[in-house]
Every structure is written in C-alpha cells, then in structure tokens.
Amino acid sequence: MEFIDYYKILGISKNASADDIKKAYRKLARQYHPDTNKESNANKKFQEINEANEVLSDPENRKKYDKYGKDWQHSDKFEQAGRGGQQDFGGGFGGQFHGGDEGFSDFFSSMFGNGGRRTQAKYRGQDLNASLQLNLTDVFKTHQQTITVNGKNVRLTIPAGMEDGQVIKLSGYGAPGTNGGTQGDLYITFQLINNSSFKRTGSDLHFNYELDLYTAILGGDITVDTLHGKLKLKVKPETQNNTRSRIKGKGFPLYKSEGQYGDLFITYTIKTPVNLSEKERILFEELQKLAK
C-alpha cells in the first residue's frame, strides 16, 4: 500500500494551523458531499477528505504522521527503540490492522489502528431552496397547502398577507446529515402573481374606478367589487377627475396579524359620454351657454 499525503488531499501546507485545517475540511466536505455532488468519484473523495481530517485535526495523530512521514511502516519500531523497549517485528502492528473498514484506507489502519479512530465528525446536511408560485388572492386568507419535498409530502400553513419574494424556513426538511449530523433546512421563496385588478402596496390596495359624468356632477351611489366582497359607496356631487377616496380596513391583510387589514384607495376617472343624441347635444350646448 502507498503513503497517503493528507495535506495534499485537503489542499493545505504542512504548517497549516488547526483553524486552516478546519476551514479546508468544511469547504471540501460541502463540495463533495454525496447528497449534493452526483459525480461518480464523490463518495470516494468524501471518504478521503474525512480520513485526512481524522488525522490532521487530532494533535496526537498529526504529530505521529508528521514525525514518520513516508517511514510510516516502521513507526512502531522507531517508537519502541526510542523507549528502549523490545518488540517482535514479525508481528506487524500489534494486531491492530483492520484493512480499511468503516471507510478508512489500509494506510490509516496500519499506521493508527484502533487508537487513531475517533468518532467521525458529525456534518450537518445542506440547506435546500425551493420556490412556490401563488396568486395574490391565494394569500388573502390563511390556508394550508401540501407540497412535495425530496419525495415527502409537507403540509404548509401559508399565513394571510404573504409578500412577493418572502422566504420561510422549514427546519429539518433539507438534505440529510452525515455521521448522525442534523438534517439541513428548507427555504421556500414565494412568488406572487397579481391576478386581480388591484395594485398592492404593502397592506394597502389601489384601483381606478370609471365614474360616469352625471354621477360625478350630481353625486350618487355606486357599488364596487373588492376582495372583501361588494361594497356600496356614496359619491359626492361635483367629484373631480383623479379624486382619490380612502376606505379604511378594506385593503389587504397584515402579515400574521389576524383580523387586521390595510386600506383601500379608489381613484375616480371621469368617463366622458359618447354617441350623444340630438337632444343630449342641445342640452349640453345650453349648459355651455349657462357656464359662460
């Protein structure tokens, strides 16, 4: 079996600090995690990275590895000689050779045996991102929806008043962890399509209403459709074009504030009559003379 250069595997120098080793390991572990990297060699690479971290992140293992380097096959002999002891060299490594079980290489098992094995570091699963498209009217009321994530059905409660682009987190619905690590989280971004005639600004709603000339001049009652249902309004006499009227509490729900709503703003656009009859034209001419 060949010597394995753990420093090369992690892409660090031999004088790297413990913090450098930790950063390099985390970066490579994320890159080659089998749950997210589907390359054919990702699993093998991930095991090599874990093994390198097992050795270099442990001060005793690293010290032994640095001391003997490519003379690793004789490390036990050197240590016995240094202690003035005797050893039957024919016995290899005291029966601690395990042939690379548990994902470790033969090199690791031969050099460190059971004593070099610490509990492998727990690695948290990656966070996942998803998007969910809804109509504006869908988030006018709190409701539940079922979505499928990683083959599992997840029942979501979608609060009224959700904003376009808003993100919610579902803890534990991300990728699974490694070595007993916790599962990652799922982040869902909401994309809202305005399927209404209203313009939304926060919790307020705006829309234009075409008001006939006669009601604008004389005043009267009108009925408008809102997200709350039909609403009867009184128009004041001599209402001018682009006059804006505010109706409190008839806007959009406030996010996670049950029973609270923004306001509704109506802008009146005066509609000029067309296709006048002869009698209507005469009456307008008389009005014009009166106005002069």
Side-chain angles (χ1 to χ4, degrees):
M1 67 191 79
E2 295 182 0
F3 169 77
I4 298 177
D5 189 340
Y6 292 131
Y7 290 102
K8 186 176 180 180
I9 288 174
L10 293 184
I12 55 178
S13 65
K14 288 189 176 182
N15 59 357
S17 66
D19 194 48
D20 292 334
I21 294 169
K22 185 186 294 184
K23 287 180 181 177
Y25 167 70
R26 286 181 176 175
K27 179 182 177 182
L28 291 170
R30 279 194 295 268
Q31 182 179 346
Y32 289 99
H33 197 293
D35 289 331
T36 54
N37 191 320
K38 301 306 177 185
E39 295 178 16
S40 58
N41 68 333
N43 191 57
K44 181 182 177 183
K45 187 73 176 174
F46 188 68
Q47 288 179 351
E48 291 175 351
I49 293 163
N50 270 329
E51 183 174 311
N53 183 63
E54 283 289 318
V55 175
L56 299 183
S57 65
D58 183 277
E60 290 301 317
N61 285 350
R62 184 181 182 185
K63 183 179 178 182
K64 184 177 180 181
Y65 177 77
D66 289 344
K67 184 176 181 180
Y68 298 112
K70 292 187 178 181
D71 291 322
W72 60 274
Q73 289 174 310
H74 308 294
S75 61
D76 279 7
K77 297 178 185 179
F78 292 151
E79 288 185 353
Q80 284 290 334
R83 291 193 296 267
Q86 296 181 352
Q87 181 181 354
D88 178 7
F89 298 138
F93 296 92
Q96 293 186 358
F97 177 78
H98 293 274
D101 58 320
E102 299 180 13
F104 288 91
S105 68
D106 290 348
F107 168 77
F108 179 93
S109 298
S110 297
M111 186 168 188
F112 299 101
N114 284 334
R117 295 171 190 259
R118 297 179 292 117
T119 302
Q120 293 188 49
K122 293 181 180 180
Y123 190 74
R124 181 180 178 275
Q126 281 201 328
D127 293 334
L128 299 180
N129 293 283
S131 60
L132 181 61
Q133 199 172 78
L134 297 170
N135 287 327
L136 181 68
T137 52
D138 291 334
V139 293
F140 185 71
K141 290 183 178 179
T142 298
H143 70 286
Q144 291 188 323
Q145 252 191 52
T146 301
I147 62 172
T148 303
V149 181
N150 290 338
K152 296 179 181 179
N153 289 333
V154 182
R155 195 164 179 80
L156 286 177
T157 296
I158 301 174
M162 184 77 69
E163 293 273 0
D164 181 45
Q166 190 167 339
V167 179
I168 65 170
K169 181 179 83 170
L170 296 181
S171 299
Y173 282 93
T178 303
N179 301 328
T182 57
Q183 197 156 340
D185 300 327
L186 172 65
Y187 290 86
I188 301 178
T189 302
F190 287 85
Q191 298 174 343
L192 299 185
I193 298 172
N194 191 349
N195 62 327
S196 73
S197 57
F198 302 95
K199 179 183 176 182
R200 181 186 179 190
T201 306
S203 58
D204 293 332
L205 294 176
H206 303 257
F207 85 106
N208 293 332
Y209 184 88
E210 257 191 4
L211 192 63
D212 67 86
L213 178 65
Y214 311 106
T215 305
I217 294 172
L218 302 174
D221 295 328
I222 61 171
T223 301
V224 297
D225 291 317
T226 74
L227 295 183
H228 296 263
K230 292 188 180 297
L231 188 64
K232 248 188 177 180
L233 299 174
K234 193 171 288 292
V235 179
K236 294 178 180 179
E238 300 178 5
T239 294
Q240 300 297 303
N241 192 43
N242 291 326
T243 295
R244 192 171 74 162
S245 179
R246 175 186 180 188
I247 299 95
K248 288 186 177 182
K250 294 299 180 182
F252 213 70
L254 274 67
Y255 181 66
K256 287 190 174 180
S257 298
E258 196 69 32
Q260 296 185 44
Y261 297 86
D263 298 331
L264 174 65
F265 293 88
I266 301 175
T267 300
Y268 294 114
T269 303
I270 309 302
K271 183 181 178 182
T272 304
V274 295
N275 301 321
L276 297 176
S277 66
E278 184 63 26
K279 186 176 181 180
E280 287 174 324
R281 184 178 299 279
I282 292 170
L283 290 172
F284 273 111
E285 286 174 351
E286 290 180 6
L287 286 172
Q288 185 181 42
K289 291 174 184 177
L290 288 172
K292 289 181 179 179

